Amino acid sequence: MAKRSDARRRWDRLVGYRLEAVGLALLFGLLRLLSLDAASALGGRLAGRLGPKLGASRRMRRAIARSFPDMPETERETVLAGAWENFGRTMAEYAHLDTLARDWDRRVEMSGGEHLSALAADGRPGIAITGHFANWELAGMACARYGVALTFVFREPNNPYAARRLARARAPLGGTMVPKGRVAAKGLISAMRSGGHVGLLVDQKLNEGIPVPFLGRDAMTGTVLADLALRFDAPVVPVRVTRLEGARFRVEALPPLVFQRSGDQTADVAAAMAQVNALMEDWVRAAPGQWLWQHRRWPD
């Protein structure tokens, strides 16, 4: 078995990764030949038709039903289909992030920009947060437009060629990317110590986190946001992205969150993350078809 695993890894490094890179380049090339609207629509149609038939949809249906027990089944199916369509649109839009940046004023309704401007100008370390809603990359793009240069964590693909392609696609976001893992913690703390700003996606499961209620059930929730905010007394500005129609969006920067301090660090961290999860709940309930239900937020 070990020899087979070693052979598979060698195959991936020498051949598999290159084949994947060629396929990804062809896909990006095709999407780039299309307009942003056409590429987004194509991605939405494909994912909207195929996604509900995939095995992952069984888990998604169960999660939606548990989160919205009073919702009629037909409405839950609409949420599922919407989640797949939004996912497909968002993936296709990666090929056109530069177009979204260039056409920002035409495609994005922005509100609350003053909160981002204040974050950039107050001379303190700060944090911008969002979740996997609509095209979540627009949250980072909004921060860049208002002078908030973010250090943010990303999961680097195993394929180095795909990683470089993704990095080029995300160039319009600006900021500094640090790979997930031990390096991430050092990068985030370094950014905060230097008075910089950190961007965090706060709606994902983290097995090393703590159980915090989310949509009626405990979900393992990372505490890095609360740890950094309380340690550096840093303002935390939520940035919400909503898809309006097609490749048009609303981006809202909200007033900074206020976390209570009791002197008990463990209790304060748990209370802060409960506050954040409650905010994410509100966003899910407002637009359930635009959240990434594909993610395994709960253990079952």
Side-chain angles (χ1 to χ4, degrees):
M1 291 296 293
K3 289 182 178 180
R4 181 180 298 177
S5 298
D6 290 343
R8 177 58 185 269
R9 283 193 290 269
R10 286 196 297 272
W11 167 264
D12 285 342
R13 287 195 297 268
L14 295 174
V15 180
Y17 287 162
R18 288 176 172 83
L19 291 176
E20 287 179 0
V22 169
L24 186 61
L26 290 174
L27 176 60
F28 262 66
L30 170 63
L31 294 172
R32 292 288 294 182
L33 288 175
L34 302 174
S35 68
L36 166 58
D37 291 304
S40 176
L42 176 61
R45 282 197 300 271
L46 291 176
R49 290 176 181 175
L50 297 177
K53 301 175 183 178
L54 299 179
S57 288
R58 290 194 296 272
R59 183 183 69 252
M60 293 167 65
R61 287 186 174 94
R62 185 166 62 248
I64 294 169
R66 290 175 174 177
S67 300
F68 298 99
D70 298 327
M71 181 182 287
E73 184 177 355
T74 54
E75 190 173 342
R76 293 200 297 265
E77 284 299 305
T78 299
V79 171
L80 177 78
W84 277 113
E85 180 186 356
N86 182 74
F87 177 76
R89 283 184 175 273
T90 299
M91 293 302 101
E93 287 160 1
Y94 269 94
H96 285 280
L97 288 180
D98 59 336
T99 307
L100 280 168
R102 184 177 61 249
D103 295 346
W104 180 274
D105 292 333
R106 185 167 65 88
R107 292 187 174 275
V108 178
E109 295 180 6
M110 182 75 205
S111 65
E114 66 273 14
H115 301 303
L116 294 177
S117 295
L119 196 66
D122 64 9
R124 301 164 55 193
I127 304 171
I129 64 170
T130 193
H132 288 86
F133 296 88
N135 187 328
W136 51 88
E137 299 289 11
L138 270 69
M141 202 176 291
C143 288
R145 289 182 64 85
Y146 284 86
V148 181
L150 296 176
T151 295
F152 52 91
V153 179
F154 75 107
R155 186 194 180 283
E156 189 172 26
N158 295 331
N159 185 331
Y161 307 105
R164 288 196 288 270
R165 170 71 61 175
L166 181 59
R168 288 197 296 271
R170 298 180 76 173
L173 304 179
T176 301
M177 297 189 295
V178 292
K180 186 177 180 179
R182 294 182 180 179
V183 176
K186 293 180 180 178
L188 297 180
I189 291 173
S190 176
M192 298 290 283
R193 281 177 175 166
S194 65
H197 300 91
V198 164
L200 296 172
L201 284 156
V202 294
D203 59 342
Q204 289 185 306
K205 175 186 175 186
L206 185 67
N207 290 330
E208 296 79 13
I210 60 175
V212 180
F214 183 66
L215 291 172
R217 290 183 290 152
D218 278 352
M220 297 305 292
T221 302
T223 63
V224 64
L225 165 60
D227 293 334
L228 292 174
L230 295 171
R231 176 176 175 178
F232 291 96
D233 191 26
V236 177
V237 174
V239 183
R240 179 181 181 182
V241 183
T242 305
R243 188 180 296 275
L244 298 177
E245 183 180 4
R248 297 180 185 276
F249 304 87
R250 179 185 300 115
V251 178
E252 305 164 83
L254 305 180
L257 300 178
V258 177
F259 296 147
Q260 300 300 316
R261 294 173 179 268
S262 69
D264 182 333
Q265 179 73 7
T266 301
D268 290 346
V269 166
M273 295 317 303
Q275 183 178 340
V276 171
N277 274 13
L279 177 64
M280 295 296 110
E281 277 188 1
D282 289 343
W283 293 4
V284 173
R285 294 185 189 282
Q290 295 195 23
W291 188 53
L292 191 69
W293 291 96
Q294 290 85 346
H295 175 67
R296 289 179 177 268
R297 189 63 184 92
W298 297 272
D300 56 345

